[in-house]
Amino acid sequence: MLHLPRWQTIAIIIFTALAGFFALPNILPDSVDDLLPKWYAQNRINLGLDLRGGAHFLLEADLRGVLNERMTNVSDSVRSELRKKQVAFKEVAVEPNGHVTVELRDEAQRPAAIEAIRAVDPSLVAAGSGAKVDVAFSDQELTRKRKEVIDQSIEILRRRVDETGTIEPTIVREGDDRILLQVPGIKDTTELKSKINQTAKLTFHLVNEDLATSSGGALPAVLPPTTSLVPTREGMQALKAGNPKAFDEIQSANPRLSPEQICRRYHPPCLPIFKRVIVGGEDLDDAKATFESQQNGGRPIISFTFNAAGGRSFCAATRQNIGKRLAIQLDNEIISAPVVQSAICGGSGIITGAFTPQQTQEQALLLRSGALPATLTIIEERTVGADLGADAIHAGTVAAVVGTVLVMFFMFGTYGPLFGGFANLAMGVNLLLVLAGMSVLGASLTLPGIAGLVLTVGMSVDSNVLIYERVREEKANGRSALGALTAGYERALAAVIDSNLTALIAGVLLFGFGSGPIRGFATSLSLGLLTHLFTATIFTRMLLATWMRWRRPTELTL
C-alpha cells in the first residue's frame, strides 16, 4: 500500500507544482501581479458581489405585450376554427385589455361558436351575451402563464449573463412582473445591458404582398387585423444616420414603442407582414456566426439549424409559398425578406443582412441562449459597492489564518512533529489546490465561500486523523512500523472515501439547487472535499512512503 512507483511520485509532484503555479496570482500582491504576463496575472479568483460590488438591475417584464401577442395567435386560431365549423361572424378582434371579441352574424350560432372557441384551447373562457362573445384566458391560466414567462426569462438571462456557470449572478423574481439581476465585478454595464435589452426573438412571417403592392411604399391608413407593420433593419439604420434624435427617442421610450408605432410616427421603410408565425425561434437547434463563400462576397452571416418540428414546418411553409417573400423578423425589425425560390427542406438556413462580424457573434449567442419571452425594461440601474468589502475579506482572512494555526497546533500536539507535520503540509496543499481550482474555473468567491474555505481547513485533517488512529490501533496490536502504516491506510481508506463522498453529495446538491450565497458556499466546499481526497489519500501516502524508504524506522512516534 505504501509502495509507490517512481512515475506516480513524479506525477503527484508535478500536479502539486501546477496547482501552486495557478494559485500563485491570488497570493501575490497587485504590484507584483502587474509585472507578470497578462494572461497569467488574470488567472485569479473572481470576488463576489458582497466582496467587490458590481452591477444591480431591476427589470420589468412586458407581460401585457406577451398576452396580447398570444391573444393575437388565439384570434387567428379562433377565426380558422369558426370557418371550419361554418359559424358566420362579422369580426374577430383583439382588445387592448387582452381579450378577444367575436361578433357573430347570427345570435343563434352562439353555442356552436363557444364550442369552436373551446376546441382552440380548453383554458379559454367565453363570456358576453347576444351576438358578441368575449374570449379570455381564465384567471388561473393567466397566473400560470405569467409565472412561466418570468421563470423562462430568468433562465435565459442566466444563460446569457453566465454562460460558463462560474460568475454566479443573483437573478431572482421580484413581485409578479419584475426580476432582480446582480452581477459581481461589473463596472462597465454597456455590454451587459445589450444582452438584457435584446429580446433575440426570431420569427418567420409571410409578407402581405397585396397590401405592399397596393400601398406603393406608403403606409396604409388601416391595416387588416391579420397584418402588422414592421420596420426593416436598413430603414432603422438609415433613420439612425439621418435623424439620430428620433432614433434615440425610440431607444429611450418607456414603455417601448411597438413596431407599428415606430412606422407611423417616424416613417422608416416598413413592410406589412402577416401576424401568423410560420416558424419561431423556439424551434432553433443551433445558431452560429460564419461567412458566405468568397464567390458570394464573403459577408458575415448567421447560420441556423432547426429541430425536427421546425424543419418540417419551414419545409411545408416554403413549399406552399414559392414566389412569395418570407420576412425574417428579429427583435421587431425585418432583417431580410427574400423571395422563396423553392422548398427549403434541409432543416437549416442562413440569415443575411448588414451585419459586422461582431454583430453576427452577438446575435448567434443570443439566438443560441434562447429568445426572451417578454421584453425586459430596466427600471432601476446602479453600480453597487461591496456590502462588506475589505472588512469582510480581512475578517475572513483572519478567521482562516487563526483556524489554520489552531488546527496545526492540534495536529502537532496530538501526533508529534513528524506525522503532524505531514498532515499540516497536506492541509496547506489542499488550500493551494482549492485556490487553483477556483482560478481555473473562474469561480466567484463570496463571503459564504470564505466560510466554506474555513470549513475546508478543519475538514482537511479529518482523514489524517482517521488514518493515524487506525495506525495506532495496529501498532498497539503488535504490528511492525511498516505493517502498522500499511494496514492503517488500507483499513481506513474505505471510511475516508465514504465520509468525503457523502459530504460531497450534499455540496453538489447545494450547488445544483441553490443560488447566490448558497452556491458560493457549495463551490468552495465541494472543491475542498475533492482536493482533500487527493491530499489525504495520495499526497500524504507519498510523503510517508518517501520517509519510510529514507529512514526505515523500526518504531512509529505517533
Side-chain angles (χ1 to χ4, degrees):
M1 180 70 182
L2 286 179
H3 175 70
L4 286 177
R6 185 177 296 274
W7 70 268
Q8 286 188 14
T9 303
I10 294 173
I12 293 169
I13 293 172
I14 291 175
F15 181 73
T16 306
L18 283 175
F21 176 77
F22 285 111
L24 191 59
N26 299 289
I27 304 170
L28 295 175
D30 293 337
S31 58
V32 178
D33 277 344
D34 292 338
L35 303 176
L36 298 174
K38 188 175 180 181
W39 65 268
Y40 179 58
Q42 288 179 340
N43 191 49
R44 305 181 71 171
I45 297 172
N46 298 318
L47 295 181
L49 192 72
D50 53 354
L51 297 181
R52 64 167 175 169
H56 169 103
F57 292 103
L58 187 61
L59 311 171
E60 187 174 54
D62 182 17
L63 298 180
R64 177 174 293 183
V66 175
L67 178 61
N68 286 338
E69 182 181 329
R70 295 192 179 181
M71 293 310 288
T72 299
N73 295 335
V74 166
S75 68
D76 290 340
S77 301
V78 166
R79 199 177 285 109
S80 175
E81 193 68 26
L82 289 174
R83 291 194 184 103
K84 189 188 297 183
K85 300 284 187 181
Q86 297 182 345
V87 177
F89 60 91
K90 293 180 181 178
E91 185 183 21
V92 178
V94 180
E95 302 297 334
N97 62 355
H99 290 207
V100 172
T101 301
V102 179
E103 188 174 354
L104 303 174
R105 294 188 180 277
D106 185 359
E107 184 181 340
Q109 288 191 301
R110 182 180 177 85
I114 292 176
E115 183 182 346
I117 290 166
R118 286 178 178 161
V120 171
D121 190 335
S123 62
L124 292 172
V125 176
S129 59
K132 284 195 175 182
V133 182
D134 185 67
V135 182
F137 286 112
S138 65
D139 293 340
Q140 207 171 22
E141 182 67 12
L142 279 176
T143 302
R144 189 190 69 80
K145 287 184 181 297
R146 290 192 186 102
K147 183 179 183 302
E148 186 180 79
V149 168
I150 296 297
D151 290 345
Q152 188 179 351
S153 298
I154 288 174
E155 182 57 34
I156 291 171
L157 273 178
R158 193 178 303 282
R159 289 203 297 265
R160 290 186 183 182
V161 174
D162 188 19
E163 278 191 291
T164 60
T166 55
I167 297 177
E168 297 180 18
T170 299
I171 310 177
V172 294
R173 174 198 293 268
E174 289 274 323
D176 292 333
D177 61 350
R178 293 182 178 180
I179 298 171
L180 174 67
L181 169 64
Q182 292 180 330
V183 185
I186 296 290
K187 294 181 180 177
D188 184 5
T189 60
T190 305
E191 183 181 353
L192 181 61
K193 284 194 287 188
S194 70
K195 291 180 180 179
I196 296 171
N197 288 332
Q198 288 187 295
T199 312
K201 185 173 184 180
L202 180 72
T203 51
F204 293 80
H205 306 258
L206 285 172
V207 176
N208 190 331
E209 300 289 359
D210 295 336
L211 199 59
T213 305
S214 62
S215 62
L219 298 182
V222 180
L223 290 175
T226 57
T227 304
S228 64
L229 279 174
V230 181
T232 63
R233 169 159 290 188
E234 289 79 3
M236 293 301 293
Q237 289 177 344
L239 181 68
K240 181 180 181 180
N243 191 350
K245 183 179 178 181
F247 186 82
D248 290 340
E249 286 179 7
I250 294 171
Q251 297 300 311
S252 60
N254 190 4
R256 292 188 175 187
L257 299 176
S258 69
E260 186 169 342
Q261 287 174 324
I262 294 173
C263 289
R264 298 205 179 273
R265 186 176 303 179
Y266 300 99
H267 307 290
C270 298
L271 271 180
I273 62 171
F274 288 106
K275 293 180 181 179
R276 188 173 71 87
V277 177
I278 292 176
V279 186
E282 64 274 8
D283 290 320
L284 276 183
D285 215 13
D286 189 22
K288 57 185 177 181
T290 183
F291 294 88
E292 283 186 312
S293 63
Q294 291 299 325
Q295 297 175 346
N296 295 327
R299 294 177 301 172
I301 59 173
I302 300 170
S303 165
F304 63 86
T305 307
F306 286 120
N307 58 23
R312 286 193 297 269
S313 300
F314 196 65
C315 176
T318 52
R319 180 184 291 118
Q320 295 166 9
N321 295 282
I322 294 175
K324 297 180 181 178
R325 281 187 291 175
L326 186 66
I328 304 173
Q329 182 178 345
L330 180 63
D331 281 347
N332 295 328
E333 290 181 1
I334 294 175
I335 58 176
S336 180
V339 176
V340 180
Q341 303 289 347
S342 60
I344 304 173
C345 297
S348 62
I350 61 171
I351 300 173
T352 60
F355 294 120
T356 65
Q358 183 180 355
Q359 286 174 332
T360 57
Q361 293 282 357
E362 292 172 355
Q363 295 290 354
L365 165 66
L366 295 174
L367 291 173
R368 280 197 306 273
S369 61
L372 286 168
T375 301
L376 298 179
T377 304
I378 299 174
I379 61 175
E380 181 185 336
E381 174 190 353
R382 67 176 184 266
T383 303
V384 296
D387 295 335
L388 304 172
D391 291 339
I393 297 174
H394 176 71
T397 304
V398 170
V401 170
V402 171
T404 303
V405 170
L406 290 176
V407 170
M408 289 175 64
F409 276 119
F410 171 79
M411 295 303 291
F412 278 132
T414 307
Y415 299 107
L418 180 68
F419 287 91
F422 286 160
N424 290 330
L425 182 59
M427 178 178 62
V429 171
N430 186 32
L431 279 175
L432 204 65
L433 289 172
V434 174
L435 293 177
M438 294 185 75
S439 298
V440 171
L441 294 174
S444 293
L445 180 63
T446 60
L447 190 60
I450 293 178
L453 285 177
V454 175
L455 181 60
T456 299
V457 169
M459 297 179 64
S460 61
V461 295
D462 283 354
S463 298
N464 295 106
V465 171
L466 285 173
I467 293 169
Y468 289 169
E469 290 302 319
R470 188 69 194 185
V471 171
R472 275 180 170 173
E473 291 178 9
E474 298 298 332
K475 180 186 173 185
N477 290 335
R479 286 183 179 269
S480 64
L482 179 61
L485 278 176
T486 302
Y489 263 95
E490 286 178 348
R491 298 182 180 182
L493 187 62
V496 168
I497 294 175
D498 285 348
S499 62
N500 282 275
L501 279 182
T502 51
L504 182 61
I505 290 171
V508 171
L509 290 176
L510 283 174
F511 183 86
F513 294 101
S515 62
I518 295 176
R519 295 190 77 176
F521 175 77
T523 300
S524 58
L525 178 64
S526 300
L527 271 175
L529 289 168
L530 285 172
T531 56
H532 170 47
L533 279 173
F534 168 78
T535 56
T537 61
I538 298 176
F539 184 77
T540 54
R541 185 158 61 97
M542 180 199 71
L543 295 177
L544 285 169
T546 304
W547 175 73
M548 289 291 293
R549 284 198 302 267
W550 176 44
R551 298 300 300 268
R552 300 187 182 279
T554 56
E555 289 293 330
L556 297 178
T557 56
L558 274 170

